[in-house]
Amino acid sequence: MEFRGFVAVKDVTLSVNEGTIHALIGPNGAGKTTVFNLLTKFLTPTRGQIVFRGNDITRLKPAEVARLGLVRSFQISAVFPHLTVLDNVRVALQRPKGLATQFWLPSRSLSVLDDRAMELIDAVNLSAYAHLTASELSYGRKRALEIATTLALDPAMLLLDEPMAGMGHEDIGRIADLIRRVAKNRTVLMVEHNLNVVADLCDRVTVLARGEILSDGSYATVSADPRVREAYMGTEHE
Amino acid sequence: MAVGTQYLAEQPKLRTTSLVIGGIALAALLAAPFFLYPIFLMSILCFALFACAFNLLIGYVGLLSFGHAAFFGGAAYFTAHAVKVWGWEPLAGILLGVAGAAGLGLVIGFLAIRRQGIYFSMITLALSQMFAFICLQVPFTHGEDGIQGVPRGHLLGVVDLNEPLAMYYVTLAIFLFGVFAIWRIVNSPFGNILKAIRENERRAISLGYRVDRYKLGAFVMSAALAGLAGGTKAIVFQFATLTDVQWQMSGEVILMTLLGGIGTMIGPIVGGGLVIALQNYLAAYDFPVTVLIGIIFVICVLLFRRGIVGEILELMKRKAKGAA
């Protein structure tokens, strides 16, 4: 998979290998979320090309990209606040299971999705909260719910925009485990500020600063790069 | 009629209560023509169904259409023409009205759905005004006169609709069918996606939903049901006029829905009933109806922002929470 040439971010040639966990890091305003928006087509690149599993997806619409199996989460927790936890996950399951356009069937017909939905909810340890509305959940649990919802699509590639942001210490360990587990048979590209998590989880790291790639490689290579240290800490003195 | 909010569906006690209320309401509707003037009741049923159809869009998709008169009035013209000029059976005429309104909804919706918020509303207004202008100009609508003297005929060639009671029960059946259709749409797999889109459109997109198609689908259904109300009205009143396609009618249906309670199942019915009743009873007095309705509207917006039914439901909800 490779992605070339962006505008708000420029000359970013990012290739993510299938089956790896790839981190995109960098100081605030480096363009990480912009890259995400470009990849998932919430923004349209003015120049360049985006290729996903051999298909050019540069001109597709966001919903179509999602249908191909490239599914994102959002930086600001994206749940359906007035639906229950169970309903949140069921909404994601409805389309792949072909139960989204039937306006003549009762809502009860969605109960065939319950088992799968509960499995997913269980995987993120939210079983006890399945019948609460999403707005009643704590921040960390909302993020967990979002991941469960994203996984419901069984995507080939997951884009996680700061999955750990605003989480307590315990939650971080749990979500990191979860990401490791789900990454076994898919590709993950994640934006993350918590460098411990990145070091622990990711096979490869790309550092972005001011819209350009600063460094790219394993965590050890990248963290040894003086330019990266400079971007994070300011000018380093000899 | 069950009150179709998800909350109530999950509360067995409230569900029983709403079933009881629904039963009483149904009995009242069945008995009503023996106590009240049937034409007045049928007028309420038609407008209440129109408001329910409008509410499907604003209450469950969050789209404020300012052009629903085109579907209501347009269907009235189609039905009236088919029945009077082509001699169609009344139900077939009404179905043609529904199909015509759905077609109009597809065109107007297709153009409007690409824009959000106030722009969406303005496009629906502009397109419905164009349609009203067409209705004024084309010969088959007979301009300012409208299509008059539409025969009620015999339903399926059997039931004589010139009989007021027969006409009333047919209208009631159509009304109940329409309200049930809306309830079913809202509480269906499709309705679930509509709710999700209203809650968080970007998230719905990122889950692979082509949200414009879902919105357009809901728009066409809402237009078709508004057409069902309009076509039925043409048979009941035996005429179709420009009044029903003009923007004032679009405004009136917004008022009815707001007054009764947006996003509630029975709110638009109550709102429609209230507005029609006021217009009907105050017509005999010198006091200008529009001023009074305006005052009620202002009071409603200031004091009960959820509308009459919306406030009652909220009260019940709080009580249920307190008891639990």
Side-chain angles (χ1 to χ4, degrees):
Chain A
M1 273 173 270
E2 51 183 48
F3 314 99
R4 287 204 194 94
F6 296 114
V7 169
V9 284
K10 57 175 189 258
D11 300 330
V12 173
T13 301
L14 175 65
S15 46
V16 179
N17 296 320
E18 214 161 328
T20 60
I21 304 182
H22 194 127
L24 195 57
I25 65 168
N28 288 326
K32 305 180 295 288
T33 299
T34 309
V35 170
F36 263 40
N37 283 333
L38 287 166
L39 295 181
T40 48
K41 315 309 304 156
F42 279 79
L43 290 172
T44 308
T46 28
R47 271 183 290 122
Q49 198 192 14
I50 304 169
V51 179
F52 176 63
R53 300 182 127 189
N55 300 314
D56 188 328
I57 60 163
T58 319
R59 297 287 151 211
L60 294 188
K61 292 201 178 108
E64 291 164 341
V65 173
R67 283 157 176 255
L68 284 176
L70 182 68
V71 180
R72 72 175 299 181
S73 71
F74 290 88
Q75 193 169 20
I76 298 156
S77 161
V79 294
F80 302 112
H82 296 104
L83 302 186
T84 62
V85 169
L86 181 64
D87 274 338
N88 263 273
V89 179
R90 285 204 306 199
V91 165
L93 286 169
Q94 273 181 258
R95 187 184 54 76
K97 303 282 181 198
L99 260 176
T101 53
Q102 289 84 342
F103 60 84
W104 57 89
L105 289 180
S107 303
R108 272 196 317 275
S109 59
L110 293 175
S111 58
V112 296
L113 307 175
D114 286 359
D115 287 347
R116 178 73 188 123
M118 284 311 293
E119 262 174 52
L120 290 157
I121 291 168
D122 204 37
V124 294
N125 294 329
L126 287 180
S127 308
Y129 311 96
H131 294 284
L132 288 184
T133 52
S135 58
E136 292 174 89
L137 296 180
S138 71
Y139 184 81
R141 295 201 172 104
K142 273 186 196 145
R143 308 251 22 173
L145 171 60
E146 199 191 338
I147 292 176
T149 315
T150 309
L151 287 175
L153 300 185
D154 196 16
M157 180 166 179
L158 269 173
L159 297 174
L160 302 173
D161 200 352
E162 298 195 28
M164 311 295 179
M167 280 203 181
H169 193 69
E170 278 183 25
D171 286 335
I172 288 182
R174 209 149 41 77
I175 298 293
D177 277 348
L178 177 67
I179 293 173
R180 194 178 289 119
R181 230 179 322 135
V182 303
K184 279 203 181 109
N185 41 12
R186 60 193 107 222
T187 312
V188 176
L189 175 64
M190 58 193 277
V191 166
E192 186 48 60
H193 278 301
N194 188 326
L195 293 181
N196 292 328
V197 172
V198 172
D200 189 34
L201 269 184
C202 300
D203 305 305
R204 192 159 159 200
V205 180
T206 299
V207 186
L208 216 57
R210 295 199 194 91
E212 290 179 70
I213 287 183
L214 205 59
S215 183
D216 184 60
S218 71
Y219 184 78
T221 326
V222 165
S223 57
D225 191 325
R227 287 172 307 172
V228 174
R229 290 171 173 239
E230 188 186 313
Y232 265 95
M233 320 285 189
T235 319
E236 221 179 14
H237 282 285
E238 306 80 56
Chain B
M1 223 164 325
V3 182
T5 66
Q6 208 174 19
Y7 180 78
L8 288 186
E10 283 159 11
Q11 306 285 320
K13 204 173 162 193
L14 282 177
R15 197 176 179 181
T16 322
T17 320
S18 62
L19 278 178
V20 170
I21 293 172
I24 294 169
L26 187 62
L29 283 170
L30 286 171
F34 297 101
F35 302 98
L36 292 161
Y37 186 44
I39 285 275
F40 162 67
L41 291 171
M42 288 187 263
S43 170
I44 286 185
L45 291 177
C46 290
F47 280 100
L49 178 56
F50 181 30
C52 288
F54 172 78
N55 182 47
L56 172 61
L57 209 52
I58 186 155
Y60 298 98
V61 196
L63 291 172
L64 172 61
S65 160
F66 214 100
H68 256 49
F71 313 128
F72 184 70
Y77 276 126
F78 300 142
T79 302
H81 185 79
V83 170
K84 190 185 175 188
V85 182
W86 299 338
W88 283 26
E89 186 272 335
L91 193 62
I94 291 174
L95 289 178
L96 180 78
V98 171
L104 267 175
L106 189 65
V107 175
I108 293 181
F110 181 78
L111 294 167
I113 225 92
R114 289 139 198 280
R115 293 289 168 266
Q116 316 235 312
I118 190 77
Y119 302 102
F120 170 84
S121 305
M122 288 298 114
I123 293 171
T124 54
L125 173 62
L127 292 172
S128 74
Q129 282 298 87
M130 279 167 60
F131 181 72
F133 181 73
I134 293 169
C135 288
L136 179 66
Q137 296 295 322
V138 294
F140 96 93
T141 58
H142 301 286
E144 303 279 356
D145 294 338
I147 305 176
Q148 300 198 3
V150 178
R152 280 186 180 171
H154 290 67
L155 181 77
L156 305 169
V158 182
V159 186
D160 185 4
L161 294 182
N162 292 302
E163 201 62 51
L165 273 185
M167 187 71 243
Y168 175 78
Y169 287 118
V170 168
T171 309
L172 180 60
I174 290 173
F175 166 80
L176 290 176
F177 167 80
V179 172
F180 173 76
I182 292 166
W183 182 78
R184 171 49 73 234
I185 292 168
V186 168
N187 295 292
S188 71
F190 177 76
N192 220 29
I193 303 302
L194 290 181
K195 265 176 231 153
I197 292 172
R198 189 190 55 185
E199 293 256 307
N200 193 337
E201 185 164 337
R202 264 162 39 106
R203 182 58 177 159
I205 293 172
S206 78
L207 293 177
Y209 290 105
R210 296 177 175 128
V211 298
D212 281 359
R213 294 191 190 183
Y214 286 84
K215 286 185 188 171
L216 184 59
F219 194 94
V220 171
M221 288 175 202
S222 171
L225 286 156
L228 181 63
T232 308
K233 181 174 175 274
I235 298 290
V236 169
F237 288 89
Q238 301 185 271
F239 61 72
T241 64
L242 286 172
T243 326
D244 290 347
V245 284
Q246 272 158 349
W247 66 269
Q248 286 92 336
M249 185 56 73
S250 298
E252 205 156 284
V253 77
I254 296 174
L255 180 80
M256 291 171 181
T257 312
L258 269 174
L259 212 55
I262 284 176
T264 62
M265 219 51 216
I266 50 175
I269 303 172
V270 172
L274 193 67
V275 170
I276 298 298
L278 281 172
Q279 285 176 347
N280 201 63
Y281 285 113
L282 292 174
Y285 301 92
D286 288 336
F287 195 80
V289 184
T290 38
V291 172
L292 186 73
I293 290 179
I295 293 171
I296 293 178
F297 181 65
V298 169
I299 292 173
C300 182
V301 169
L302 289 177
L303 295 181
F304 343 93
R305 214 164 296 170
R306 294 183 184 90
I308 298 165
V309 174
E311 289 293 341
I312 294 171
L313 282 178
E314 185 65 22
L315 212 70
M316 284 168 71
K317 207 166 162 179
R318 235 178 282 158
K319 247 187 173 170
K321 259 205 178 138

